[in-house]
Amino acid sequence: MGFLIRTSFWFSLVLLFLPIAPEEGTDTVSPLAALVAARDAIGDVSGMCEREPQVCETGRAALATIGVRARESARMAYQMLEDEPVESDSITTGGVKPAQ
């Protein structure tokens, strides 16, 4: 989840620096003002664990659970690949007749 937030944040900063003409009547933000606002937002988010320790504890537990499940899934997939080797004679090619 944190990766997605960071990625969308940096992607939005990149979009601010692209030279695209905005529609008329929309407010524009300079890249410098956006950078200052982003810095303040990061400071606010980084202080969230001090304000709400339960949120950070729940997030750590969720990430640990996801990591354990990913490791277990990878282990199971690896075992399936190792336990059942594919024989070349059992592969069909969808209508292509074997050469004689």
Side-chain angles (χ1 to χ4, degrees), residues 60-74:
R60 281 188 210 104
L63 287 176
T65 302
I66 291 169
V68 168
R69 288 183 181 180
R71 239 185 335 271
E72 185 64 22
S73 298

Side-chain angles (χ1 to χ4, degrees), residues 13-89:
L13 278 183
V14 168
L15 289 177
L16 284 174
F17 285 101
L18 292 177
I20 299 173
E23 296 178 10
E24 291 183 27
T26 59
D27 294 334
T28 59
V29 177
S30 72
L32 184 59
L35 194 58
V36 170
R39 184 194 61 180
D40 293 342
I42 289 172
D44 185 50
V45 170
S46 65
M48 182 176 59
C49 288
E50 295 170 3
R51 291 189 312 269
E52 297 288 334
Q54 184 61 31
V55 171
C56 289
E57 187 61 34
T58 303
R60 281 188 210 104
L63 287 176
T65 302
I66 291 169
V68 168
R69 288 183 181 180
R71 239 185 335 271
E72 185 64 22
S73 298
R75 185 188 62 77
M76 288 171 42
Y78 182 74
Q79 282 181 343
M80 280 196 252
L81 289 173
E82 289 294 316
D83 290 344
E84 299 178 22
V86 177
E87 295 180 19
S88 62
D89 293 339

